[in-house]
Amino acid sequence: MRGRRAYGAVIAVGVLLVSAACSSPYESDSEPKAGANNRTIRPMEGCGDTSWTDPADLSPTRLPARCQAGAPPPQPLPKTRKLTIATGTLSAEYVAPLQVALDKGEFKKEGLDVTLKVLPTPDALPLLAKGDIDAQWAAPEAAVMNGIRGGFDISWVAGNFSPDPESKSGLWVRLKKGESADRVAMAGRRMGTMIGKGSVIAYPMEQALEKHGGGLDKIQYAQLGSADVLTALQNGGVDSAWLLDPVWRRVDGESGYAFLGGQPLGEPLGGMLYGPSLLNDVDAGVALLRAYIRTINTYFTSDYKQDAAFVSYLAKLLKADEAILRSTPSLRMDWEIRTGTTDRLQSAYHAQGVSEGDPLPESKTVNRALYEEAIGHRS
């Protein structure tokens, strides 16, 4: 995939595509195609063959789907819809597409008045299920799976990112005397995470722990705030932690720390969760994903950190250290969801002892139809 276009050129292309969008999905259009649930799937200008990939492709070298910059073009709702999206943090890089979409008015172009609200997943989940908030920027954690099994009307509707091959976002450990990255005894360690037991990191963490005699049932968990995980690792409050981009850069190269493994390449483990509010109001649900996808295509192409001005802008928007942000590779922003991810997650939750009942089939946990409609892809 070609590198990121110059920032100004991207905006110019986006304007051209937006101005070309003169039709509305809420009116008749040429060459409509009947989609699932009696909805109409129309081709989206700027979204061609590269805007969709096979969900079963788990290759670590696969390229994420992309439309042209500025696509899919806005299709504003007839009436402004107010939406609240819960997120565990506003400062992490994986939240940047939402922050940029809000700051650049991409949600507004769709007739959406969006508020981002900081809420931990355990607090947000019941609100999402009741419709008190509309969406959650999180992941299909064990609590989400258990909630769906208990009757919550919640679906994972869009992915967020997968790591760059050069990233060291993942499981870090404080080395004890005589240990090295190749020889770490993980059994009995205390690990800090934002979610604690039942987080999606259980899946990649299981793979890393198995190499070091740990196992998901042989370590202790400490649930910490996003700003506290690194501090706890550095001051000895925990002796291992899951560090996200760009936080891991603060210990990379420091003596006494080792990276044991991270998220699988090419496989997003989180993103957008919808509750009954947007699963029932499909027009608004598609509009929200359309704005999100357009933001990725316009601002987050393959290597967005090649644009120094954009990195400076992101650092200010996220209130992050620009030098640290610049020092980590670009995330591979990816709205698609791979086949079998929730199966693998539930297997890890079972190993942790936090799942309830039989595993849920993907048909109960994932809904790809909304992002497919947003890009004009017919399954």
Side-chain angles (χ1 to χ4, degrees), residues 52 58 82 91 110 127 134 154 174 215 228 235 243 253 256 284 288 312 343 363:
W52 182 88
L58 300 178
K82 289 188 175 183
S91 60
E110 300 288 351
L127 300 178
D134 304 286
I154 294 174
R174 288 173 61 97
D228 301 323
N235 66 22
L243 303 180
L288 178 58
S312 296
D343 296 333
S363 60

Side-chain angles (χ1 to χ4, degrees), residues 21-22 59 65 72 85 139 163 211 220 246 254 258 271 278 299 303 317 323 330 340 343 358 368 374:
C22 57
S59 168
I85 304 173
K211 299 176 184 177
Q220 303 172 41
E254 295 288 329
L278 290 179
Y299 302 98
D303 192 0
L317 192 65
S330 299
D343 296 333
D358 296 330
R368 297 183 182 87

Side-chain angles (χ1 to χ4, degrees), residues 26 75-83 107-115 134 278 281 283-284 287:
Y26 316 110
Q75 305 286 340
L77 298 169
K79 184 178 179 181
T80 299
R81 177 80 150 79
K82 289 188 175 183
L83 299 177
F107 294 132
K108 191 174 182 179
K109 292 174 186 175
E110 300 288 351
L112 301 174
D113 181 1
V114 171
T115 298
D134 304 286
L278 290 179
D281 186 353
D283 286 344

Side-chain angles (χ1 to χ4, degrees), residues 35-82:
N37 303 319
N38 298 317
R39 291 186 64 80
T40 299
I41 308 300
R42 300 180 179 86
M44 287 290 126
E45 185 167 359
C47 293
D49 292 341
T50 62
S51 66
W52 182 88
T53 69
D54 183 355
D57 182 359
L58 300 178
S59 168
T61 59
R62 64 177 296 287
L63 295 176
R66 287 292 184 268
C67 303
Q68 295 177 17
Q75 305 286 340
L77 298 169
K79 184 178 179 181
T80 299
R81 177 80 150 79
K82 289 188 175 183

Side-chain angles (χ1 to χ4, degrees), residues 74-337:
Q75 305 286 340
L77 298 169
K79 184 178 179 181
T80 299
R81 177 80 150 79
K82 289 188 175 183
L83 299 177
T84 299
I85 304 173
T87 175
T89 177
L90 290 174
S91 60
E93 189 174 343
Y94 69 88
V95 187
L98 297 188
Q99 292 273 53
V100 171
L102 189 63
D103 187 65
K104 297 294 185 181
E106 298 297 343
F107 294 132
K108 191 174 182 179
K109 292 174 186 175
E110 300 288 351
L112 301 174
D113 181 1
V114 171
T115 298
L116 301 180
K117 186 172 184 178
V118 177
L119 281 174
T121 295
D123 296 339
L125 195 58
L127 300 178
L128 180 67
K130 290 190 296 182
D132 291 343
I133 59 174
D134 304 286
Q136 190 171 347
W137 190 247
E141 317 280 3
V144 175
M145 297 294 101
N146 291 334
I148 295 172
R149 190 178 291 105
F152 283 1
D153 188 10
I154 294 174
S155 289
W156 184 19
V157 299
N160 52 7
F161 74 93
S162 64
D164 184 276
E166 299 301 316
S167 173
K168 293 182 182 178
S169 172
L171 181 59
W172 284 81
V173 62
R174 288 173 61 97
L175 297 173
K176 297 179 180 179
K177 187 176 181 180
E179 290 184 332
S180 67
D182 297 325
R183 295 179 63 253
V184 179
M186 288 299 296
R189 299 268 180 152
R190 180 174 170 81
M191 196 187 103
T193 78
M194 287 176 58
I195 306 298
K197 269 191 175 185
S199 166
V200 291
I201 63 172
Y203 158 38
M205 190 168 64
E206 183 176 40
Q207 297 174 319
L209 288 172
E210 286 176 351
K211 299 176 184 177
H212 300 280
L216 293 174
D217 59 343
K218 296 179 182 178
I219 59 172
Q220 303 172 41
Y221 299 86
Q223 185 174 344
L224 303 168
S226 60
D228 301 323
V229 175
L230 175 63
T231 302
L233 179 65
Q234 291 174 319
N235 66 22
V238 297
D239 43 25
S240 62
W242 191 270
L243 303 180
L244 299 173
D245 285 315
V247 178
W248 60 267
R249 287 292 293 151
R250 296 186 181 273
V251 293
D252 186 35
E254 295 288 329
S255 62
Y257 296 95
F259 173 63
L260 302 186
Q263 178 177 330
L265 299 179
E267 184 177 11
L269 299 182
M272 195 77 80
L273 304 176
Y274 278 2
S277 170
L278 290 179
L279 291 175
N280 292 324
D281 186 353
V282 181
D283 286 344
V286 171
L288 178 58
L289 293 190
R290 192 165 49 238
Y292 164 55
I293 291 169
R294 184 170 59 253
T295 301
I296 291 177
N297 291 321
T298 306
Y299 302 98
F300 295 94
T301 51
S302 59
D303 192 0
Y304 52 89
K305 290 188 180 179
Q306 288 185 355
D307 188 327
F310 185 66
V311 176
S312 296
Y313 162 75
L314 273 188
K316 293 178 181 177
L317 192 65
L318 300 175
K319 296 180 175 60
D321 184 314
E322 183 174 341
I324 294 291
L325 188 63
R326 195 181 301 280
S327 70
T328 57
S330 299
L331 298 180
R332 294 188 172 182
M333 302 302 184
D334 190 343
W335 64 79
E336 295 185 309
I337 300 171

